[in-house]
Amino acid sequence: MKKMTPILTVRDQIAEQIRLDIISGELAPTSKLNEQDLATRFGVSRGPIRDVLLQLTKEGLLSSKSNCGVTVSNALDPELQILMSSLREKIEIHAVRKLKNKLSDDDINELNNILLDLELAFEKEDFIGVTQKDVEFHRYLISAAGGEQLVNIWYPIMLRLRLNYDRIAHGQECVDEHKVIVDSLAAGNISQAVTGLKENIR
Amino acid sequence: MKKMTPILTVRDQIAEQIRLDIISGELAPTSKLNEQDLATRFGVSRGPIRDVLLQLTKEGLLSSKSNCGVTVSNALDPELQILMSSLREKIEIHAVRKLKNKLSDDDINELNNILLDLELAFEKEDFIGVTQKDVEFHRYLISAAGGEQLVNIWYPIMLRLRLNYDRIAHGQECVDEHKVIVDSLAAGNISQAVTGLKENIR
DNA sequence: TTATTGTATATTGTCTACAATATCAAGTGG
DNA sequence: CCACTTGATATTGTAGACAATATACAATAA
């Protein structure tokens, strides 16, 4: 069967946009999000917007106080950031180990394609695109290893960590780190893949 | 200032009830939840119900398919359960370490009170109450150590694990395990508290 | 008989209007 | 001048009606 392009619900598309706005720093921490404004911006009513805000709150990107609306969450305290980083590492290492000799050629191809897009986004200085492709890469691995259940655990942890990232990324270095991971996986060299992962996450 | 009793929103109360229904096994995995039925049951409109279902979905207790409603999630695969358990352990150990010499007498008192309630619930064979108090105990520690941010990370992990628990709990053994943790914390013996935690989580 | 298509029904998704609550500024008393 | 109350305004929370979509079943053709 030919690879199908996923159909996204209205809510998922809106959520994705606001997520990127937050992660990319467009929306700074403590910014207040107004339901009506967002509804107007996306051309829908407040209902779906409320759903999205609730989701993003659960993902940790927004903080909500009843009857007072939501604001963009602050970056994590250093201690929490370290803990969260170690959780993310644990999950991704678990994924990589489980993927030993499990990835098809198609998988490897798909991962390399994502990295090509990542490189391209870097060159165009499209940092939102960079973020998207970076996340997509890791998500692909997590999903291949543990399905949506694992993705659902990993995702909010990863998102919270993004709140602490410097906005201007490191460029070629980052691309290379990811390439090491794919190549190691393709060669079945798990310990090297794990090392690459740790470098990339740290 | 006197200890204040928290005011809960309608949504939080409904969410709590459905959570307990799921965790206690009242609602078996794959059960379908109908929005209108729930709205009628709780005497509200579908709006708040949808909010709750969205939240519980994000917490991992429900699985949702667009336009098809939500069903109670299945228990975790053994591999995922082990991973998740290690994540929970990491978080709780982090919390306990951070609480070294930080808990006031009031805190210790509060924890002991929760354990009294836990014991009482066991004696009355009120297993929903047992679940509530067990969660409340751990939550207190997590919150004291890392505030709501840490609770928000820990909570969905703990909930997912609950999906795998045997419904009939172990009674006095469980109470004793918790007592060890409190006593160790009160005495500032962190390594013993950590050991106690591991026993309890395993 | 079996597969496919069409139709009826039930359920979710969305919109609009209204109610409840918080915010903020002006006014009042000390 | 400051603290507190009070009212106007804006924003969130909820309800009910409607639209879009999926499900189940019956009808038709190969």
Side-chain angles (χ1 to χ4, degrees), chain A residues 131-186:
Chain A
T131 295
Q132 279 179 308
K133 289 301 166 182
D134 188 3
V135 172
E136 191 179 338
F137 177 88
H138 290 271
R139 182 187 186 121
Y140 192 95
L141 291 179
I142 304 286
S143 175
E148 283 310 296
Q149 268 191 318
L150 188 55
V151 170
N152 288 338
I153 300 293
W154 165 82
Y155 197 55
I157 293 175
M158 183 275 300
L159 282 180
R160 284 173 167 94
L161 283 168
R162 288 268 162 183
L163 287 172
N164 289 56
Y165 279 18
D166 289 338
R167 301 314 173 201
I168 295 101
H170 304 49
Q172 191 59 39
E173 187 185 334
C174 174
V175 178
D176 291 341
E177 283 171 0
H178 286 92
K179 274 184 182 160
V180 169
I181 297 172
V182 180
D183 293 344
S184 308
L185 278 170

Side-chain angles (χ1 to χ4, degrees), chain A residues 97-114:
Chain A
R97 285 195 200 289
K98 201 174 165 193
L99 287 177
K100 179 169 186 178
N101 303 324
K102 286 282 192 297
L103 287 180
S104 67
D105 291 348
D106 283 348
D107 289 326
I108 301 293
N109 254 323
E110 180 62 25
L111 287 168
N112 277 319
N113 283 334
I114 296 173

Side-chain angles (χ1 to χ4, degrees), chain B residues 87-118:
Chain B
L87 296 180
R88 180 181 168 193
E89 197 176 286
K90 219 180 210 333
I91 295 172
E92 300 217 18
I93 288 174
H94 167 91
V96 164
R97 285 195 200 291
K98 202 174 164 193
L99 287 176
K100 179 168 186 178
N101 303 324
K102 286 281 191 299
L103 286 180
S104 68
D105 290 349
D106 283 349
D107 288 325
I108 300 293
N109 255 322
E110 179 61 26
L111 286 168
N112 277 319
N113 282 334
I114 295 173
L115 292 190
L116 285 180
D117 290 342
L118 177 65

Side-chain angles (χ1 to χ4, degrees), chain A residues 58-59 79 98 153 160, chain B residues 58-59 79 98 160:
Chain A
K58 278 287 176 187
E59 289 169 7
E79 275 193 341
K98 201 174 165 193
I153 300 293
R160 284 173 167 94
Chain B
K58 279 287 176 186
E59 289 169 5
E79 275 193 341
K98 202 174 164 193
R160 284 173 166 93

Side-chain angles (χ1 to χ4, degrees), chain B residues 7-18 42 52:
Chain B
I7 303 296
L8 298 175
T9 64
V10 176
R11 271 183 329 207
D12 286 343
Q13 296 174 64
I14 296 175
E16 185 62 14
Q17 289 234 11
I18 300 181
F42 290 107
V52 168

